[in-house]
């Protein structure tokens, strides 16, 4: 069974940093593009960042460009999101997401993790 | 880089059909067939319902169907059931440095 399990969320002060991890299982991790998607409380979905299967290509939403860094370790079947210079508006549930069949870019999200809550507040 | 536009809410009675629209541009919905639809119940992760405009993943009811015309896509739910009450989001690949975008979301209410 395919599964994604996020960890690393929590409470952080404005300007602080946090690193999210996502452990994947049940599929060939390196064969799929992966993404992070967030959802602020009571709001809609926002695609945050994506990475190709081999890790060579990365993509970011304008709202996080220059502050967040996506990476992956295919030997550990793990996806990461390093979040720096965090702001109150980054408060959200962050979902790890597996593409349906794309290896380079995101085409459709087949599998979602359960989400991890990041709260940015003093 | 705006989100795709969806109506805030759509409602229908059990057994009826409803359609949710998703309006994009020639840089996303209009130029690619990578349009998807997701269902999200409160407190749960989204679930893929339609991919590549009109394809259903295994296990998704055939009451759900998708289509596209020019720069707009649509999701139709036929034979509406109480369990269909949820938020629905469209999405599309786009030719941009930010290559993926979601719609604004539509709350479906079963009367």
């Amino acid at each position: 069974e395919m599964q994604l399990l996020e960890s690393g969320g929590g409470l952080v002060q404005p300007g602080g940093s946090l690193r999210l991890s996502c452990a994947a299982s049940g599929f060939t991790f390196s064969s799929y593009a992966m993404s992070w998607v967030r959802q602020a409380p009571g709001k809609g979905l926002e695609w945050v960042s994506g990475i190709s299967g081999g890790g060579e290509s990365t993509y970011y939403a304008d709202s996080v460009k220059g502050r967040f860094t996506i990476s992956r370790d295919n030997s550990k079947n793990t996806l990461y999101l390093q979040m720096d210079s965090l702001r109150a508006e980054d408060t959200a549930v962050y979902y790890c997401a597996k593409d349906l069949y794309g290896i380079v870019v995101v085409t459709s999200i087949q599998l979602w993790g359960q989400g991890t809550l990041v709260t940015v507040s003093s | 880089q705006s989100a795709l536009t969806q109506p805030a809410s759509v409602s229908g009675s059990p057994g009826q059909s409803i359609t949710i629209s998703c309006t994009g541009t020639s840089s996303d919905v209009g130029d690619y067939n990578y349009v998807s639809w997701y269902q999200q119940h409160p407190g749960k992760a989204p679930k893929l319902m339609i991919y590549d405009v009109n394809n259903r993943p295994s296990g998704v009811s055939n009451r759900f169907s998708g289509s596209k015309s020019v720069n707009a896509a649509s999701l139709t739910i036929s034979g509406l059931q109480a369990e269909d009450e949820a938020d629905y989001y469209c999405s599309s690949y786009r030719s941009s440095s930010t290559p993926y975008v979601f719609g604004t979301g539509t709350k479906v209410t079963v009367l």
Side-chain angles (χ1 to χ4, degrees), chain B residues 71-91:
Chain B
N71 294 335
S74 296
L75 173 72
T76 297
I77 309 175
S78 58
L80 199 61
Q81 299 180 2
E83 67 211 47
D84 299 332
E85 188 163 289
D87 294 325
Y88 291 83
Y89 296 90
C90 62
S91 70

Side-chain angles (χ1 to χ4, degrees), chain B residues 13-25:
Chain B
S13 300
Q16 287 186 331
S17 293
I18 62 169
T19 297
I20 303 169
S21 62
C22 170
T23 303
T25 69

Side-chain angles (χ1 to χ4, degrees), chain B residues 9-110:
Chain B
S9 62
V10 172
S11 61
S13 300
Q16 287 186 331
S17 293
I18 62 169
T19 297
I20 303 169
S21 62
C22 170
T23 303
T25 69
S26 57
S27 296
D28 40 60
V29 175
D31 206 24
Y32 300 95
N33 286 327
Y34 293 134
V35 176
S36 300
W37 289 90
Y38 303 91
Q39 176 192 65
Q40 187 180 34
H41 287 107
K44 300 295 186 180
K47 174 186 176 182
L48 179 64
M49 304 301 284
I50 295 288
Y51 67 95
D52 295 356
V53 178
N54 57 11
N55 290 281
R56 282 186 310 275
S58 175
V60 172
S61 171
N62 58 9
R63 297 186 297 106
F64 292 84
S65 61
S67 63
K68 190 184 86 166
S69 177
V70 192
N71 294 335
S74 296
L75 173 72
T76 297
I77 309 175
S78 58
L80 199 61
Q81 299 180 2
E83 67 211 47
D84 299 332
E85 188 163 289
D87 294 325
Y88 291 83
Y89 296 90
C90 62
S91 70
S92 175
Y93 173 79
R94 67 182 358 174
S95 53
S96 163
S97 57
T98 303
Y100 203 70
V101 62
F102 286 100
T104 50
T106 299
K107 180 175 181 58
V108 168
T109 301
V110 181

Side-chain angles (χ1 to χ4, degrees), chain A residues 6-22 36-42 46 48 64 67-68 80-96 114-122:
Chain A
E6 303 99 334
S7 60
L11 175 64
V12 61
Q13 293 188 336
S17 298
L18 211 56
R19 187 174 88 152
L20 305 183
S21 299
C22 171
W36 289 98
V37 177
R38 70 184 179 184
Q39 187 169 34
E46 180 187 15
V48 171
V64 306
R67 300 187 299 121
F68 289 12
Y80 303 100
L81 185 67
Q82 177 67 40
M83 304 186 294
D84 299 320
S85 303
L86 282 162
R87 307 166 179 167
E89 54 264 36
D90 295 318
T91 294
V93 172
Y94 285 73
Y95 293 101
C96 171
Q114 86 288 351
T116 187
L117 177 62
V118 172
T119 303
V120 184
S121 173
S122 55

